[in-house]
Amino acid sequence: MNQKYLMGMAAEGGQTVVFEAKASNVAAFICRNRMAPELLVCTLDYKMFLTARTGMVDVCPERKFLVQELLPALVLMQTGQVQDMPLAIVLRESVQDEECPQPDWNYLRWDGYDNEKFEKIMDGSVLLNYEFLSETIPMELRIGQYEDGSGLALELVSWEEKEPEDWDTITVNLSVPCEKDHAFVDINNSGGQEICQWIEENGLGKATGRQQRSGFCIYPEYHFDARRLKELDREGYEKYVAGLQQRGRSAKSNSRLCPSRFRGQ
């Protein structure tokens, strides 16, 4: 815990309050709002710290603070061993100029970033430099899957402002079957032909020579490096592979149900 103050907000019209970042204050805030279906505690600049439901901690990535400080204080209050401690509220106006250091916990846990990905984002090891209008922007490569056809989808997320911001999708779904780890690159929107050079310079993949026309544009197909993709977004890549496997099992199951004389029609 590297914050001086925290801010608590409860559902059901509860007021937003500011208090010193102490376990006793967090526990008191949770107990005071024990009937709230959901509450959250965050930094003064709205970076998430904790969520709770009906008096029970739901998510708190700061494990050391949770286990060693917060839970012991909370248990004492909830079991009646001590009376509910008063919540020492600080006037919000008095801390409006307070600078908030970068949290030393995974405050993006609620946005789907596991601890491994968060740590790599913070140390820059999975960020790729992207040149745009003479500026160098650190980019996260996020791996997904198109609903139509289950093809590989690659998205760039900017970290220029130290927060994730959707930038562009560098692949395009043309509803044309592609092999595993293959996708058509969107040269119509995401940086034009230069995106192909960027893909190759960062060791992401190589052109297969296959092309597909859609409208007035001809899109090149790329074979992406599975090892490199997994290195940059392990969880996203594993979900993509699992989706392909599930689609394969479903197709195989359907083929068993379909009489052979109707297959291929």
Side-chain angles (χ1 to χ4, degrees):
M1 163 61 71
N2 64 345
Q3 304 293 307
K4 186 175 181 180
Y5 299 101
L6 291 171
M7 187 161 55
M9 291 172 272
E12 303 297 327
Q15 288 186 332
T16 299
V17 296
V18 176
F19 43 82
E20 288 189 28
K22 297 179 179 179
S24 58
N25 281 331
V26 178
F29 178 72
I30 293 174
C31 287
R32 173 182 287 193
N33 296 280
R34 61 171 59 91
M35 300 306 295
E38 185 175 17
L39 63 80
L40 65 86
V41 177
C42 62
T43 64
L44 296 180
D45 56 351
Y46 296 96
K47 291 184 173 66
M48 292 290 292
F49 175 69
L50 172 151
T51 52
R53 300 175 186 274
T54 58
M56 304 296 291
V57 175
D58 182 30
V59 178
C60 180
E62 224 292 28
R63 301 297 299 175
K64 183 177 180 180
F65 178 87
L66 173 68
V67 174
Q68 297 183 8
E69 300 183 51
L70 178 57
L71 288 182
L74 196 57
V75 167
L76 290 176
M77 293 183 192
Q78 291 177 335
T79 57
Q81 297 181 54
V82 299
Q83 295 296 320
D84 286 356
M85 297 182 65
L87 175 60
I89 296 176
V90 177
L91 291 177
R92 192 168 182 178
E93 294 77 11
S94 67
V95 296
Q96 61 183 1
D97 296 325
E98 187 76 24
E99 292 188 6
C100 300
Q102 185 79 354
D104 56 1
W105 65 85
N106 181 5
Y107 61 91
L108 294 176
R109 167 68 174 76
W110 291 264
D111 294 319
Y113 288 81
D114 61 21
N115 290 338
E116 177 188 0
K117 183 66 176 287
F118 178 78
E119 290 173 2
K120 289 182 177 180
I121 289 285
M122 291 297 106
D123 66 25
S125 61
V126 295
L127 297 180
L128 305 173
N129 288 333
Y130 184 87
E131 300 296 328
F132 180 74
L133 298 179
S134 301
E135 293 186 9
T136 301
I137 301 173
M139 290 287 187
E140 169 196 354
L141 185 71
R142 188 176 292 170
I143 300 171
Q145 190 170 37
Y146 292 109
E147 291 186 9
D148 180 16
S150 302
L152 177 66
L154 300 179
E155 178 186 4
L156 293 182
V157 179
S158 169
W159 280 83
E160 184 178 19
E161 302 298 330
K162 308 299 182 182
E163 293 289 333
E165 181 180 353
D166 291 347
W167 180 269
D168 205 353
T169 302
I170 65 174
T171 55
V172 59
N173 187 18
L174 301 178
S175 298
V176 176
C178 291
E179 295 182 23
K180 177 177 174 291
D181 301 326
H182 289 61
F184 291 101
V185 173
D186 189 357
I187 60 172
N188 192 36
N189 293 311
S190 51
Q193 291 286 351
E194 293 180 359
I195 194 64
C196 296
Q197 180 180 350
W198 182 84
I199 288 171
E200 295 179 13
E201 287 178 347
N202 284 281
L204 299 176
K206 296 181 179 180
T208 65
R210 182 189 182 197
Q211 297 179 325
Q212 180 67 35
R213 176 182 290 276
S214 180
F216 295 101
C217 189
I218 298 177
Y219 299 93
E221 183 190 53
Y222 267 67
H223 180 193
F224 290 91
D225 187 325
R227 179 195 59 80
R228 183 72 167 131
L229 295 184
K230 191 173 181 179
E231 181 181 88
L232 294 171
D233 185 7
R234 178 187 57 79
E235 184 177 12
Y237 184 76
E238 289 177 351
K239 287 182 178 179
Y240 159 69
V241 172
L244 286 181
Q245 293 173 343
Q246 178 61 40
R247 183 178 177 85
R249 286 192 294 268
S250 297
K252 189 174 182 179
S253 176
N254 290 336
S255 69
R256 292 198 188 102
L257 296 174
C258 180
S260 59
R261 66 179 181 276
F262 293 124
R263 293 175 191 164
Q265 294 185 5

